[in-house]
Amino acid sequence: MDIPAPTLADLLVVACSEAFRGNGEVIATGIGPVPRLAAGLAKLTHSPELMMTDGEAFLVEEPVPLGPRGYDDRKAAGYLPFSRFFDSAVWTGRRHAMVSPSQIDRFGQTNLSCLGGTYQKPKVQMLGVRGFPGNSIHHPNSMFVPAHSSRIFVEGEVDMVSSVGYNPARRIPGANFSGVDLRLIVTDLCIMDFGGADHAIRLVSLHPGVTLDQVRRATGFALEMSDDIATTPSPDPEQLEIIARLDPHGVRAGVIKGNPRVGEPR
């Protein structure tokens, strides 16, 4: 297969796949094209013990490619309907989800519900909290943000707390927060984790061609920094071949505006 030069979307798939490294035998759930490709890439390279579903009712042996396909192309490994998914994976902590919230604050609280105004009368009504509250206290979670900006990484708290983070001010005495496990945030500019003071968001890696000032300007709160900020690795030929095989219709290219080549200025 003739593999073209890597794009930013390719780099982000590889970066997101690292969230699933060393997770053990858990269900890797990527919400959206890039996280889903990342979970598949992780299973086919560094973490073959990962489990995943076809997004419908079955566990599968091989990641299911994005886009149109023959329904029977999957290799089913077991029956896992939605009703059974919670008991076998979610409530037991045997799942790692990568999600894309509408807002994220300094301590990893997220918002998927509403923007502006009041909760009773918001300026913008979105999906509602969905499964975020339960997911955030029962199993590991990571985040993918395709357009890093201060509208997503907000100053202060998110407008409506849809999932639990590490905010010390929200820690109710006597409550059990031991299940809160936030791992990684991958954006179109950088990689962050929760290694700051009190588990605040911390910058750990800049993508090729991105400056620290760019990230600071696009973030609504003061970012903490790791001791040694790395450069995000570019995809290698094997990774690019697998990504192309899992995304034969190029769906990932539409996730990132313009989808530039790795290292091109933006």
Side-chain angles (χ1 to χ4, degrees):
M1 182 184 294
D2 186 19
I3 304 297
T7 67
L8 179 56
D10 296 322
L11 178 142
L12 297 179
V13 171
V14 174
C16 288
S17 79
E18 288 298 316
F20 300 106
R21 184 184 289 273
N23 283 198
E25 197 173 80
V26 303
I27 292 180
T29 304
I31 309 297
V34 167
R36 181 172 154 185
L37 289 168
L41 177 65
K43 182 172 178 62
L44 294 176
T45 54
H46 53 72
S47 300
E49 69 279 4
L50 288 172
M51 298 181 291
M52 54 189 51
T53 75
D54 65 348
E56 296 175 24
F58 290 93
L59 287 167
V60 291
E61 295 285 1
E62 296 285 337
V64 179
L66 299 185
R69 63 186 186 277
Y71 188 76
D72 293 327
D73 288 348
R74 66 196 172 181
K75 296 179 181 178
Y79 185 50
L80 192 68
F82 195 64
S83 59
R84 195 178 294 176
F85 185 75
F86 289 92
D87 291 335
S88 61
V90 177
W91 307 146
T92 59
R94 294 196 290 267
R95 181 200 194 203
H96 184 170
M98 178 168 277
V99 298
S100 296
S102 300
Q103 288 183 324
I104 306 168
D105 63 29
R106 179 176 171 238
F107 290 106
Q109 297 177 143
T110 70
N111 177 20
L112 193 71
S113 182
C114 55
L115 298 174
T118 64
Y119 180 69
Q120 291 75 20
K121 193 175 181 180
K123 290 183 179 178
V124 178
Q125 178 64 55
M126 298 182 295
L127 291 174
V129 299
R130 309 293 287 179
F132 271 34
N135 293 349
S136 65
I137 62 173
H138 283 291
H139 62 69
N141 293 274
S142 293
M143 304 170 199
F144 170 65
V145 176
H148 191 135
S149 78
S150 57
R151 295 179 65 181
I152 295 176
F153 293 97
V154 297
E155 182 180 9
E157 272 197 318
V158 294
D159 290 349
M160 191 275 173
V161 178
S162 300
S163 69
V164 178
Y166 295 111
N167 187 353
R170 291 281 186 174
R171 297 288 166 155
I172 301 170
N176 181 6
F177 292 94
S178 62
V180 180
D181 185 1
L182 303 180
R183 300 281 179 88
L184 207 66
I185 303 175
V186 177
T187 82
D188 62 327
L189 298 180
C190 64
I191 300 174
M192 299 178 284
D193 65 11
F194 293 87
D198 293 320
H199 298 286
I201 291 175
R202 178 183 69 166
L203 177 66
V204 296
S205 177
L206 294 170
H207 301 334
V210 175
T211 68
L212 178 57
D213 190 50
Q214 275 181 277
V215 177
R216 282 176 166 157
R217 289 198 310 268
T219 306
F221 49 84
L223 264 176
E224 300 197 32
M225 308 288 165
S226 65
D227 293 336
D228 184 17
I229 298 174
T231 299
T232 309
S234 294
D236 63 34
E238 179 191 5
Q239 292 166 330
L240 289 173
E241 188 278 327
I242 293 171
I243 293 169
R245 178 155 45 92
L246 293 177
D247 184 20
H249 305 284
V251 175
R252 66 192 182 281
V255 174
I256 305 300
K257 185 178 180 179
N259 195 27
R261 300 293 180 190
V262 171
E264 286 183 355
R266 287 180 288 135

